[in-house]
Amino acid sequence: YIDSVKTYIHDSEENFNDLIKYFKENDLENYAILVHKLKSESRYLGLNKLADMAFEHETKSKEKDLNFRVITDYIKTAVRF
């Protein structure tokens, strides 16, 4: 479990930067793929609130709804230990 947490934290900066990039580029297909990954990994680690937020973003991005807020700053704060 600890190794999974370390990997999650290590990969988070690149993943979150990619989320911002995809969102700014209106690339909702890749945004949805990456946020799905975030949802699954967060749920596995017990970060359920974060996983729920990622699920909402996954759903909205698949609906092509650009009226949702990017959660990157919140996520960065949430995963700091």
Side-chain angles (χ1 to χ4, degrees), residues 16 19-20 23 31 35 38 49-58 68-78:
F16 301 135
L19 281 176
I20 291 169
F23 187 81
Y31 185 92
V35 82
L38 174 64
K49 184 173 181 179
L50 188 54
D52 291 344
M53 292 172 67
F55 175 74
E56 181 181 353
H57 277 254
E58 180 183 5
F68 60 95
R69 186 172 162 256
V70 176
I71 59 174
T72 305
D73 290 336
Y74 179 82
I75 294 169
K76 284 183 178 179
T77 301

Side-chain angles (χ1 to χ4, degrees), residues 16-65:
F16 301 135
N17 288 336
D18 286 345
L19 281 176
I20 291 169
K21 179 182 117 184
Y22 295 147
F23 187 81
K24 286 181 178 179
E25 294 173 354
N26 294 324
D27 184 353
L28 295 181
E29 182 177 344
N30 281 315
Y31 185 92
I33 291 167
L34 188 53
V35 82
H36 173 81
K37 175 185 170 192
L38 174 64
K39 175 192 73 178
S40 299
E41 291 174 353
S42 297
R43 186 86 60 211
Y44 172 76
L45 295 174
L47 304 171
N48 292 320
K49 184 173 181 179
L50 188 54
D52 291 344
M53 292 172 67
F55 175 74
E56 181 181 353
H57 277 254
E58 180 183 5
T59 302
K60 294 294 186 182
S61 61
K62 287 179 178 178
E63 294 171 356
K64 308 281 191 240
D65 181 355

